[in-house]
């Protein structure tokens, strides 16, 4: 079997596995995810200034990955106005376990991360995470990166955050597939080269990159009645992988 055919076969197998794993998670946590979606929709109605930066499928996948992994410590780098923060806090709440450690240059909107949701499960550090590395918990169970989108920042977080993770720790990096073709010297190209060099598989629900995964997951979620578009965007450019 030629190298190209083998790579195509491996990519197809990985896509099938990703669809199967997340289909099972949608089935397992569907009802609680439905409630979380309803609460996120209520946020949009209550906070007109809110502009979601996490699209629907990637938000749901993040919720499901946190639910299934039951991490004690989730680290979020870049929470912007708090939309993604609220999603992850709902996953921890529904798990009945875990703390979210958010690092952001500014404080999120006050009416997005509500006190009853934050409760004792949220720790916010305002400022550049590169200056606050000592505040990152030593044992990270889920890593969510959606901060500065640049190759320079990727060169920092790969050795300083990703490299310290235990093998198998799930990671999500936002905006990687925002463009159909990664810019040659940007964050996306750098992290994809790093994944390839270290033989690490990945997946995304971005239709521009993996249309089969996007189409099948969208069918599954729509069968559950998740047809309302909360974010206003269907790009879902987040990259998912597990630490080596």
């Amino acid at each position: 079997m030629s190298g190209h055919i083998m790579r195509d076969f491996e990519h197809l197998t990985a896509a099938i596995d990703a669809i199967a794993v997340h289909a099972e998670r949608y089935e397992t946590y569907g009802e609680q995810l439905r409630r979380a979606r309803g609460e996120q929709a209520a946020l949009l109605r209550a906070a007109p200034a809110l502009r979601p930066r996490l699209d629907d499928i990637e938000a749901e996948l993040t919720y499901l990955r946190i639910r299934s992994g039951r991490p004690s410590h989730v680290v979020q780098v870049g929470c912007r106005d708090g939309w993604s923060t609220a999603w992850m806090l709902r996953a921890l709440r529904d798990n009945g376990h875990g703390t979210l450690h958010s690092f952001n240059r500014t404080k999120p909107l006050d009416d997005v991360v509500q006190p009853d949701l934050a409760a004792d499960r949220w720790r916010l550090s305002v400022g550049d995470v590169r200056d606050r590395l000592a505040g990152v918990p030593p044992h990270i169970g889920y890593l969510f990166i959606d901060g500065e989108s640049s190759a320079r920042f990727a060169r920092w977080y790969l050795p300083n955050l990703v490299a310290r993770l235990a093998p198998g720790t799930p990671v999500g990096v936002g905006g990687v597939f925002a463009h159909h073709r990664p810019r040659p010297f940007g964050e996306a190209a750098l992290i994809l080269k790093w994944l390839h060099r270290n033989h690490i598989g990945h997946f995304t629900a971005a239709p521009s990159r993996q249309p089969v995964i996007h189409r099948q997951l969208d069918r599954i979620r729509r069968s559950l009645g998740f047809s309302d578009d909360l974010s206003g965007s269907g790009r879902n450019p987040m990259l998912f992988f597990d630490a080596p």
Side-chain angles (χ1 to χ4, degrees):
M1 186 178 292
S2 72
H4 288 300
I5 295 176
M6 178 60 75
R7 283 194 296 271
D8 288 344
F9 177 76
E10 290 173 350
H11 291 162
L12 177 60
T13 301
I16 292 172
D17 289 346
I19 293 167
V21 166
H22 290 89
E24 182 178 356
R25 290 173 180 171
Y26 269 106
E27 180 178 357
T28 301
Y29 303 108
E31 286 306 312
Q32 289 171 310
L33 177 56
R34 187 189 313 278
R35 181 180 71 166
R37 279 179 51 87
E39 292 169 335
Q40 292 292 112
L43 272 185
L44 288 175
R45 293 191 295 269
L50 178 59
R51 296 292 181 269
R53 297 293 297 269
L54 192 66
D55 295 342
D56 289 5
I57 297 181
E58 60 188 5
E60 293 164 8
L61 294 180
T62 299
Y63 173 93
L64 293 171
R65 283 159 68 83
I66 292 174
R67 290 302 315 277
S68 63
R70 295 187 57 81
S72 295
H73 297 282
V74 176
V75 169
Q76 177 187 28
V77 179
C79 56
R80 304 182 188 271
D81 53 15
W83 176 255
S84 56
T85 304
W87 264 112
M88 288 185 280
L89 286 172
R90 297 191 200 287
L92 294 175
R93 177 201 63 191
D94 294 345
N95 276 347
H97 170 77
T99 301
L100 175 63
H101 306 261
S102 299
F103 296 82
N104 201 54
R105 291 179 180 273
T106 59
K107 190 175 183 295
L109 297 174
D110 290 334
D111 50 357
V112 174
V113 183
Q114 299 161 339
D116 61 330
L117 182 59
D120 58 352
R121 65 178 67 92
W122 189 37
R123 305 288 182 268
L124 172 64
S125 180
V126 177
D128 193 325
V129 65
R130 287 169 285 197
D131 299 327
R132 289 166 167 73
L133 194 55
V136 175
H139 304 293
I140 302 173
Y142 191 96
L143 178 61
F144 178 98
I145 300 175
D146 195 20
E148 174 187 332
S149 182
S150 70
R152 181 179 65 176
F153 188 49
R155 291 190 189 97
W156 180 86
Y157 68 66
L158 287 172
N160 287 284
L161 292 179
V162 176
R164 68 191 285 178
L165 300 175
T169 302
V171 181
V173 182
V176 172
F177 298 112
H179 304 283
H180 182 65
R181 293 182 181 275
R183 294 172 177 173
F185 303 104
E187 176 190 28
L190 190 150
I191 192 171
L192 289 172
K193 288 179 182 177
W194 181 85
L195 290 169
H196 178 74
R197 185 169 62 249
N198 290 281
H199 308 288
I200 302 170
H202 67 275
F203 79 96
T204 179
S208 63
R209 187 75 178 193
Q210 291 185 327
V212 173
I213 291 180
H214 178 272
R215 184 165 57 250
Q216 294 302 321
L217 289 180
D218 197 41
R219 286 176 179 171
I220 293 166
R221 56 193 297 277
R222 287 181 180 276
S223 72
L224 295 172
F226 302 163
S227 57
D228 294 342
D229 184 1
L230 301 182
S231 70
S233 169
R235 295 188 304 165
N236 296 283
M238 180 162 277
L239 166 77
F240 297 95
F241 66 94
D242 293 337

